[in-house]
Amino acid sequence: MDTAALAGLRDGFAGTVITPGDSSYDEARTIFNAMIDRRPAVIAQCENPEDVARAIRFGRDQDLEIAVRGGGHSVAGTSLTNGGIVIDLRRMHAVVVDPAARTAQVGGGATMSHLDRAGEPYGLATPGGRVSTTGVGGYALGGGTGWLDRKFGLTCDNLLSVRLVTADGGTVQASDDENPELFWALHGGGGNFGVATSFTFRLHPLPVVTAMLLLWRAEAGPEVGHAYRDFLASAPDEIGGGLIFLTAPPEEWVPQGMAGRLACMVLVTYAGGEPEAREAARPVLGLGHDAELTLELPYAELQCLLDDPPGYRNYWSAEHLGTFPDEAMDLFCDRAHDMIVPSPSQQVIFPLGGAAARGNPDYPVPWRSAPWVIHPFGLWADPADDERGRQWAYDVRADLKPWSTGDVYLNFIGNEGAERVIAGLGADHYGRLEAVKAQYDPDNVFRLNHNIKPHPASRRRAFSPSEARRHPHWLGHW
C-alpha cells in the first residue's frame, strides 16, 4: 500500500486510522462472530461523514476492498475484510431525540442500546431488534424485526430519512420527498447503496413494557408449542415474544435440576403494564409452567434481557412459514434435541402479524406477510462443534420447508447464495433494486453484504475516483 497515500488519509482525519502494526489493531478487528478472523490493511474509525468520504476515496484509489462496520453483528462477517479497508462507524453513535416531534436522529454507528436509552427518559421508543448490542444501521436497512413488530410495525416502517455517503464520496439525503426511489430501496435493500451516516426514526409513546419468561422441561415442548401457536392466532397486537428452546440458565428462578439442560421457554412481551399483560397472556399462563419470571420494565431494559454473549462461534439461518400445523410444530420441537447443549444457542419461533403484516407491501421486505419465523440461532465455543451446529440449523430449515413461504429475513442469515438474497428482497422487487444500485454504486464498491449487483443495462462505465478526477468530462456518462 502507498505509504504516502496512507499518510494523506491520516492527515486531517478526525477519527483514528489503525494498521496492523498498531497495538489496538486486534481489538479493532474483532467482531461478534468468533468464526471470522480477517486482517484488514486499514481500519478507519470515523468520527464524522467527512471521515467516511475520505476513507471511501482512499479505499478506491488504493484498489482496496471496502467493508463497512456498524455494530459488527453480521453473522457472515461482512463488516470485516482481508487486506482491505474497514470503515468503522462506531464512534458515530450520537442519538438526538425531539420529544415534541417524536423523532430520533441516530448516528450510523449507534447500537440499539444507544437508541433505546435516548428515548427512555421521554417514554418514547421505535421498534428495535431483540438485543441491545445490534447495530442500528445494518438492522434497519435490512428491514428490522423485533419485539414491537406487531404493535408498531417493522423498523423500516418507522424510518423517516437516511443520509448516505455514496461510492464516489458524495453525500445524499433520502426520504419520501428527496430521492424517493433510493429511500424505497433502503427499506430492506441493506448496505448496497452507500454508507449510512445518520437515520431519522419515528418514535412512539411506550412508558413501560412487560416481559414474562415461562419455562418448561423440553419434553413439554409439543404441548406448549401447540397452545402457543393457538394463543397467537387471537392475541392483541401488544403481544410479542417467541417460543424458544434453549439451555436453561443458572438463575435463582430456575428450578434445581433444570439449569444446564435443554428447556422450552415462552417469552411473552407486552407493550404495556403487567396487569394488562397478565390478562392478555392468560391462555399461556394457565399451561402449568415449571418456572416464571415476570418483569415490568422500561423498553431499553427489555432489550438487554436476552443479550447475545460475544466471543462465540456463530451460525444462524431462518425460514418463514405460511402455516404452522401440528405436524410442523412436532418436527420443530423434536429437532431441538439436536441443538448444542449446553451453549447459548437458541431454536426460536417468532410471531409476525399485526402492524408488521399491515405495513407497505411495496417495500422490498416480502417476508413481512408471513405469520411465523423459524430461527435456528447457533452459538458455541468449540470449533469441533462447527459441523454439528451447522447441520442442526440446516435440518431445522429442511424439516419446516414444506410449510415455507420461500421468503427470508436477510439479517437472520449468512451467505446462503444468490437465490436466498432474491428471496429476501422479493423477485418482484429485484430488478428495481438493481437499477437503484446501478445509479448509486455502479461499480459495486459496496459488495460485502447480501449483494445486489448493478443492473447490466443500467451500469455506467466504471472509473476509479482518481481516474474520474483526471477526466471530469466522463462523470455522469453511461
Side-chain angles (χ1 to χ4, degrees), residues 339-386:
M339 191 172 69
I340 296 170
V341 176
S343 80
S345 299
Q346 299 176 18
Q347 183 175 304
V348 190
I349 299 168
F350 291 128
L352 283 174
R358 296 191 294 268
N360 188 341
D362 187 47
Y363 290 151
V365 283
W367 43 269
R368 74 156 72 240
S369 59
W372 298 102
V373 187
I374 305 303
H375 184 33
F377 179 74
L379 297 88
W380 56 87
D382 191 346
D385 285 329
D386 287 357

Side-chain angles (χ1 to χ4, degrees), residues 236-253:
D237 289 353
E238 287 79 6
I239 291 284
L243 184 144
I244 308 169
F245 283 94
L246 76 172
T247 301
E251 302 287 348
E252 289 185 3
W253 61 278

